[in-house]
């Protein structure tokens, strides 16, 4: 399974090390956000890795909604279970919840279809910055703190018309940013395509914290650093 390198089983539970999280972010998602780097002061496991592990364990359902409750740290012992209400829940050994998933409809357990959908969604998600976020922030005249950029994965959901996916891809349909004080809610709407046919739709919500006035030079530096890190990683791998 392609996720074996990105988590470690511990009996019925599992852990994700900072290195495994960072490798997933860079290799699979193309995400070079420093918050996923080992040693980062506010390190957290990518939400998309938790998303991927849920699909690999429970399959791809016709309708799914993911709500992220908290950020996972380095090596936290986690379990992935179905609760009394039928929700899938990622939580630690003290009961703290990190991700809640509701699902409806038929479920596809085919590993190839699940991996194909996971990879296409995660690759799409990894392009949030700078491709989508920068223009939205610039248009509103706001930006995150360049010294402590904090973009939190809040939720996502999708509905599929069919589950027999072979070569799915995601296409951004609409994006918006609502600013409330120092907080910004980003919404991304996407279409799911398979074999040239629209087979579903979904949306994703991000929260940008600590907003201040847009600084073109500071943003240019952040984008340049993103591409520098990307190029350095690709040269070494």
């Amino acid at each position: 399974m392609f996720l074996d390198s990105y988590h470690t089983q511990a009996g019925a539970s599992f852990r994700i090390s900072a290195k495994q999280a960072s490798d997933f972010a860079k290799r699979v998602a193309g995400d070079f956000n420093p918050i996923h780097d080992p040693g980062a002061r506010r390190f957290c496991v990518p939400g998309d890795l938790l998303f991927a592990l849920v699909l690999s364990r429970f399959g791809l359902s016709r309708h799914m909604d993911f709500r992220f409750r908290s950020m996972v740290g380095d090596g936290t012992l986690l379990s992935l279970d179905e609760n009394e209400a039928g929700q899938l829940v990622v939580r630690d050994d003290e009961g703290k919840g990190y991700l809640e998933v509701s699902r409806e409809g038929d479920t596809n357990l085919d590993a190839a279809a699940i991996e194909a959908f996971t990879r296409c969604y995660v690759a799409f998600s990894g392009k949030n910055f700078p491709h989508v976020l920068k223009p939205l922030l610039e248009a509103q005249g706001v930006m995150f703190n360049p010294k402590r950029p904090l973009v939190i994965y809040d939720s996502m959901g999708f509905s599929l018309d069919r589950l027999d996916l072979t070569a799915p891809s995601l296409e951004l349909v609409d994006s918006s940013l609502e600013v409330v004080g120092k907080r910004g809610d980003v919404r991304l709407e996407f279409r799911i395509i398979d074999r040239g046919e629209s087979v579903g739709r979904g949306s994703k919500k991000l929260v940008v914290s600590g907003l201040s006035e847009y600084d073109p030079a500071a943003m240019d530096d952040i984008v340049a650093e993103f591409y520098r890190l990307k190029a350095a990683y690709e040269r070494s791998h």
Side-chain angles (χ1 to χ4, degrees):
M1 183 61 187
F2 86 102
L3 295 176
D4 288 350
S5 301
Y6 306 117
H7 72 293
T8 302
Q9 286 297 136
S13 303
F14 64 96
R15 301 179 191 273
I16 301 169
S17 71
K19 183 179 187 310
Q20 288 171 323
S22 179
D23 286 346
F24 178 87
K26 294 173 174 62
R27 290 177 187 168
V28 183
D31 180 355
F32 291 84
N33 186 335
I35 201 171
H36 303 314
D37 290 343
R41 191 173 70 83
R42 303 184 73 176
F43 167 84
C44 77
V45 170
D48 285 335
L49 178 49
L50 300 180
F51 162 85
L53 288 167
V54 167
L55 291 191
S56 71
R57 181 79 60 87
F58 287 97
L60 178 64
S61 294
R62 183 76 63 105
H63 309 284
M64 301 187 79
D65 287 291
F66 296 74
R67 184 165 295 278
F68 295 86
R69 296 300 188 187
S70 191
M71 296 190 290
V72 177
D74 177 19
T76 303
L77 186 64
L78 300 169
S79 64
L80 175 50
D81 306 297
E82 187 168 6
N83 67 17
E84 302 77 16
Q87 282 185 320
L88 309 179
V89 182
V90 176
R91 53 190 162 201
D92 62 23
D93 55 353
E94 295 181 353
K96 179 179 178 179
Y98 296 89
L99 172 62
E100 296 173 357
V101 185
S102 58
R103 55 183 179 158
E104 295 179 13
D106 298 336
T107 298
N108 185 349
L109 298 174
D110 178 68
I114 292 167
E115 179 174 343
F117 183 77
T118 299
R119 285 187 179 277
C120 82
Y121 174 74
V122 169
F124 168 84
S125 185
K127 294 177 181 175
N128 289 336
F129 184 85
H131 308 78
V132 179
L133 276 179
K134 180 179 180 289
L136 287 176
L137 293 167
E138 187 173 15
Q140 294 275 11
V142 296
M143 67 180 290
F144 43 67
N145 184 338
K147 295 180 180 178
R148 267 194 326 181
L150 188 58
V151 181
I152 299 170
Y153 197 166
D154 179 86
S155 57
M156 70 84 69
F158 60 83
S159 293
L160 290 162
D161 301 325
R162 58 177 174 83
L163 294 170
D164 58 334
L165 307 178
T166 57
S169 62
L170 266 64
E171 176 183 290
L172 183 66
V173 174
D174 191 28
S175 60
S176 63
L177 167 62
E178 180 183 0
V179 177
V180 182
K182 292 186 175 296
R183 168 190 166 121
D185 291 344
V186 177
R187 295 188 182 276
L188 309 177
E189 306 289 332
F190 56 86
R191 180 182 298 118
I192 303 163
I193 311 292
D194 187 48
R195 288 168 277 178
E197 176 188 9
S198 177
V199 295
R201 63 223 60 83
S203 64
K204 176 177 182 177
K205 179 183 175 184
L206 302 168
V207 176
V208 187
S209 300
L211 292 178
S212 59
E213 185 177 352
Y214 190 84
D215 182 335
M219 181 60 80
D220 288 346
D221 288 345
I222 294 168
V223 174
E225 177 67 2
F226 172 89
Y227 285 112
R228 185 192 70 77
L229 292 170
K230 185 174 188 292
Y233 182 83
E234 289 172 348
R235 282 196 304 271
S236 64
H237 292 77

